[in-house]
Amino acid sequence: MEECIFCKIVNKQLPAEIIYEDAEILAFRDIQPAAPIHILIIPKKHIKSLIEIEKEDEITIGKIYGIINSIAEEQGVKEKGYRVIVNCGRDGGQEVPHLHFHLLAGKTLGEKIV
Ligand code: AMP
């Protein structure tokens, strides 16, 4: 089976502009940025989507939010604000089947759905 594109980034088989890395979490710039700052934050473990999170993953997912805040601070957008999006499944518009959190910032973001 073809390995997941984000697993390939985790394993350094594919290049990415890495912003943050630890044993469980990786953050890198989105290849097609939808805002001046568009960073993807992922668990290194291959979790297909939000709906596939298991009990054992919950600590990592919690840490991801802390890392998002640290990255926002480092990127200088803490005061102005930012948006975090997780697309889940077909109706949610998820294209890459490896859980990822979009961090978008650097401009007034588009129309809100909610
Ligand atoms: P989603 O539609 O929520 O699944 O988002 C997938 C995101 O992954 C999109 O914003 C893509 O631009 C981004 N993406 C796809 N391939 C790569 C890659 N090789 N490096 C960085 N970002 C990527």
Side-chain angles (χ1 to χ4, degrees):
M1 200 180 77
E2 178 74 5
E3 200 185 346
C4 155
I5 193 168
F6 287 176
C7 285
K8 283 186 174 169
I9 291 175
V10 168
N11 296 327
K12 310 285 157 64
Q13 293 168 269
L14 264 184
E17 192 183 335
I18 292 172
I19 301 290
Y20 174 87
E21 178 165 21
D22 67 25
E24 299 159 77
I25 296 159
L26 187 69
F28 51 95
R29 286 199 195 278
D30 196 291
I31 207 166
Q32 281 190 298
I37 295 167
H38 187 173
I39 294 167
L40 301 174
I41 301 92
I42 68 169
K44 286 186 169 178
K45 177 182 168 187
H46 183 77
I47 302 168
K48 269 195 231 156
S49 73
L50 203 57
I51 206 151
E52 304 264 340
I53 289 173
E54 293 173 1
K55 196 83 197 149
E56 64 178 27
D57 304 321
E58 288 175 2
I59 291 174
T60 307
I61 302 309
K63 282 184 189 169
I64 282 178
Y65 280 99
I67 287 160
I68 287 170
N69 285 341
S70 302
I71 293 172
E73 192 161 5
E74 280 164 23
Q75 298 286 322
V77 296
K78 188 182 161 197
E79 302 305 325
K80 281 195 167 176
Y82 47 94
R83 189 174 291 168
V84 178
I85 295 175
V86 183
N87 297 321
C88 179
R90 189 196 60 194
D91 281 0
Q94 183 178 2
E95 286 177 15
V96 176
H98 183 130
L99 175 62
H100 50 281
F101 295 71
H102 296 259
L103 167 59
L104 296 153
K107 68 171 187 179
T108 301
L109 295 161
E111 194 185 341
K112 295 201 304 176
I113 296 174
V114 288

